[in-house]
Amino acid sequence: MEGVETKLNHKQVWSECLNYIQASIPVNDFRTWFEPIVPLKLENKVLTIQVPTYYFYEFIEEQYIKLVSKGLREVIGAGAKLEYSVVMQRPSSASSGQSVNYPQASDHHDLRNRAVDKRYNREEQPKIRNPFIIPGVKKLNIDPQLNREYTFENFVEGDCNRLARSASEAVAKNPGKTAFNPLFLYGNSGLGKTHLGQAIGIEVKKRFPEKTVLYVSANKFTTQYTDSVAHNAANDFMHFYQMIDVLIIDDIQELAGKVGTQNTFFHIFNHLHQSGKQLVLTSDKPPVALQGMKERLLSRFKWGLPADLQSPDFDTRLEILNNKINKDGIRISDEIVHYIAAHITDNVRELEGALISLLAMSTLNKTEITFDIARSVVDRLVNKPHKDISIDQILNNVCDYYGIKPDLLQSRSRKREIVQARQVAMYFSKNMTNSSLSAIGAVIGGRDHATVLHACKAVKNLKETNTDFKHQLKEIESLIRK
């Protein structure tokens, strides 16, 4: 249609252009960025549109100008031009209930050469408003949105999370002043990312009460941003977040595919980082594995320290359970605690949830927490009936791993490799079965319970001091669980 003179008026031209744009972008993006635009006039192939804010204009120029240009050429023809008129409104006054228009500013955009003459007064912006809707907010009065239960003291450290824990504490002691900015905590769900992020916020507020800390989920951040655009307050939104001294955003992967939110967060990130403020981000994947994120954001995620949280090993799981038991005053046998730790292996939240479920069932039924109750709770949490692991199975797997015949473990041999394999078999039998120490000793060479207990302690001590041995144990555990 290029080269054809249109007979349509400004409203009809913009309506046709919108039909073209709508077919090319997601519905939510269209509603956010194009429905608020008002066509004002059409003169000599120059369409003037009214946008709510200067930021609105910048975003369309950056993200959608090629699409708008093509749409206008389809409707108006060659030589089409676009002119912006920005009309910003102050928030309604509580006393008068009236809004005040800013002086209208216009900008001319030539669709052929993309020449832009920017003539906006950046000082003419509404006052900062808090997305958390706190009337009369002052910087120090911003609610950090922290859960006081998520402290460093309540976080159980193990090999699976030691780097993340250490880096988090370093950031909390010196926010914005370490090389860990941003601190990017990643790992599967339920491993403690949120706990560490909130612990940082709590510790910062304890050490530096004057600092402004804010924890927010990526979904809530997106919702706030979308609302701010709908209410012509995108600049307010950005300015609010630029006030924060320590910004903790949970599940940053939720920004994937949300172009507008990512662009705004990019500017917030840059401002905070350049101002020496601290950013803490959590994700279910490392930066290199995130999909649907702009490259310029991903590169910034890698500026600081990506620290992963892995599934806890048996000893860490046991400590997590015992901490919860001591804190909540739950009465439960060691046998049941070991059973839970042995069978819920990937998720800290599920470990704690198992104890809460056991306590609830015991309280409602007015009965003690029995092994059968524990088994039913565990089976439900792991979403499949559990196949019990036997001592014989463990013996066979250990022997296969070390290349030893099973009858040698039953012998009285004191050769170092035989003794170690025997002790490893006892260690896994104690941790992965419901058998008593005496029963384990009886099956493995007719030893007594004291011998089994000594073997378990020896394996645990060696594990803590010998990295190669620790890797061996992980490989053997994988064989047993197959």
Side-chain angles (χ1 to χ4, degrees):
M1 188 172 175
E2 290 194 13
V4 179
E5 186 70 29
T6 181
K7 301 298 183 181
L8 304 176
N9 62 33
H10 62 286
K11 292 183 180 179
Q12 293 169 325
V13 165
W14 185 239
S15 177
E16 291 290 329
C17 188
L18 286 181
N19 289 336
Y20 178 84
I21 294 169
Q22 188 172 15
S24 305
I25 65 175
V27 174
N28 288 339
D29 289 355
F30 179 81
R31 290 174 179 170
T32 299
W33 297 107
F34 289 97
E35 286 190 353
I37 294 176
V38 177
L40 297 180
K41 61 181 179 179
L42 176 65
E43 295 179 353
N44 299 322
K45 291 191 176 182
V46 178
L47 176 67
T48 302
I49 59 174
Q50 178 181 302
V51 294
T53 66
Y54 180 85
Y55 178 73
F56 223 94
Y57 153 76
E58 283 186 327
F59 188 87
I60 292 175
E61 281 290 305
E62 181 179 348
Q63 297 297 322
Y64 295 118
I65 191 58
K66 289 183 179 179
L67 183 63
V68 175
S69 301
K70 190 171 182 180
L72 279 180
R73 290 195 187 98
E74 289 287 331
V75 180
I76 296 177
K81 295 181 181 181
L82 183 67
E83 184 175 284
Y84 297 89
S85 175
V86 179
V87 178
M88 296 180 290
Q89 292 185 328
R90 293 187 185 274
S92 298
S93 169
S95 57
S96 66
Q98 298 177 343
S99 61
V100 180
N101 286 346
Y102 277 75
Q104 179 170 306
S106 296
D107 204 355
H108 202 92
H109 181 88
D110 189 322
L111 294 177
R112 290 171 298 176
N113 57 29
R114 296 176 63 90
V116 178
D117 176 21
K118 298 182 180 179
R119 298 194 304 271
Y120 292 98
N121 186 349
R122 285 185 174 273
E123 294 180 356
E124 294 179 340
Q125 297 295 336
K127 293 181 180 179
I128 296 170
R129 287 176 291 181
N130 185 346
F132 287 95
I133 317 300
I134 306 173
V137 66
K138 293 182 180 179
K139 185 175 180 182
L140 293 178
N141 292 336
I142 294 174
D143 184 349
Q145 308 287 311
L146 299 171
N147 183 338
R148 294 296 167 181
E149 294 296 314
Y150 288 152
T151 64
F152 285 121
E153 290 76 14
N154 292 337
F155 187 87
V156 177
E157 181 178 328
D159 293 335
C160 55
N161 56 36
R162 186 161 287 119
L163 173 62
R165 163 70 179 264
S166 299
S168 297
E169 287 189 316
V171 164
K173 292 175 182 177
N174 206 6
K177 302 290 193 297
T178 72
F180 311 147
N181 195 16
L183 176 60
F184 194 97
L185 304 171
Y186 68 92
N188 292 332
S189 177
L191 297 182
K193 303 185 299 293
T194 298
H195 190 144
L196 279 181
Q198 294 236 351
I200 291 171
I202 291 171
E203 188 67 20
V204 169
K205 290 301 291 182
K206 186 188 301 181
R207 290 173 175 267
F208 311 98
E210 76 283 0
K211 288 192 179 294
T212 304
V213 176
L214 180 64
Y215 163 89
V216 62
S217 69
N219 277 332
K220 192 168 190 178
F221 181 89
T222 301
T223 300
Q224 292 170 351
Y225 166 71
T226 304
D227 288 346
S228 74
V229 172
H231 293 88
N232 299 334
N235 286 327
D236 293 349
F237 173 85
M238 185 179 297
H239 291 163
F240 168 77
Y241 273 95
Q242 289 175 343
M243 292 193 305
I244 307 302
D245 295 314
V246 179
L247 178 59
I248 306 157
I249 297 192
D250 208 1
D251 292 324
I252 196 71
Q253 76 276 359
E254 296 295 338
L255 297 189
K258 298 169 183 173
V259 176
T261 310
Q262 286 186 40
N263 283 331
T264 299
F265 180 63
F266 173 79
H267 295 300
I268 292 170
F269 183 106
N270 282 347
H271 178 87
L272 294 179
H273 197 276
Q274 292 167 9
S275 302
K277 310 301 184 183
Q278 180 68 50
L279 292 114
V280 179
L281 312 173
T282 79
S283 170
D284 61 354
K285 298 179 182 67
V288 294
L290 289 176
Q291 302 291 325
M293 303 289 281
K294 285 185 167 289
E295 185 57 39
R296 63 180 186 176
L297 262 184
L298 291 178
S299 68
R300 281 158 175 77
F301 292 168
K302 302 171 189 175
W303 279 357
L305 175 71
D308 68 329
L309 290 89
Q310 301 173 355
S311 298
D313 58 21
F314 177 82
D315 291 330
T316 304
R317 298 196 298 271
L318 206 57
E319 188 176 350
I320 290 169
L321 290 172
N322 285 326
N323 276 7
K324 182 74 173 173
I325 288 168
N326 294 333
K327 180 182 175 183
D328 295 348
I330 303 173
R331 299 185 63 181
I332 185 170
S333 70
D334 289 343
E335 180 186 30
I336 293 176
V337 175
H338 278 74
Y339 180 82
I340 297 172
H343 295 87
I344 300 180
T345 60
D346 297 324
N347 193 305
V348 174
R349 199 174 296 131
E350 288 183 357
L351 279 175
E352 296 180 340
L355 284 180
I356 294 171
S357 297
L358 286 175
L359 181 61
M361 293 176 69
S362 174
T363 302
L364 290 173
N365 298 328
K366 297 180 180 180
T367 60
E368 291 185 2
I369 299 175
T370 65
F371 185 81
D372 287 339
I373 292 175
R375 183 195 294 272
S376 68
V377 168
V378 168
D379 285 348
R380 185 171 67 251
L381 286 173
V382 297
N383 295 321
K384 60 183 179 181
H386 176 70
K387 180 182 178 181
D388 281 333
I389 296 171
S390 67
I391 298 176
D392 287 337
Q393 177 187 343
I394 291 171
L395 281 172
N396 290 332
N397 288 130
V398 171
C399 289
D400 287 343
Y401 183 84
Y402 286 113
I404 296 172
K405 294 181 179 180
D407 58 352
L408 287 177
L409 261 62
Q410 307 290 357
S411 70
R412 295 290 171 178
S413 173
R414 301 301 301 167
K415 288 185 178 180
R416 188 179 63 84
E417 62 272 18
I418 303 298
V419 171
Q420 181 169 294
R422 187 185 297 125
Q423 290 179 336
V424 167
M426 291 178 176
Y427 170 83
F428 280 119
S429 296
K430 175 179 178 292
N431 293 338
M432 302 178 73
T433 73
N434 308 313
S435 303
S436 66
L437 297 178
S438 298
I440 293 170
V443 174
I444 305 178
R447 270 71 175 183
D448 58 21
H449 76 282
T451 302
V452 177
L453 187 59
H454 170 76
C456 293
K457 289 181 179 179
V459 171
K460 183 177 179 181
N461 290 337
L462 186 58
K463 173 187 172 184
E464 293 173 353
T465 57
N466 188 310
T467 303
D468 290 338
F469 182 67
K470 181 171 68 176
H471 288 319
Q472 289 180 22
L473 292 182
K474 287 184 178 180
E475 292 174 356
I476 294 170
E477 182 176 355
S478 298
L479 287 174
I480 295 171
R481 293 190 183 282
K482 280 186 177 179

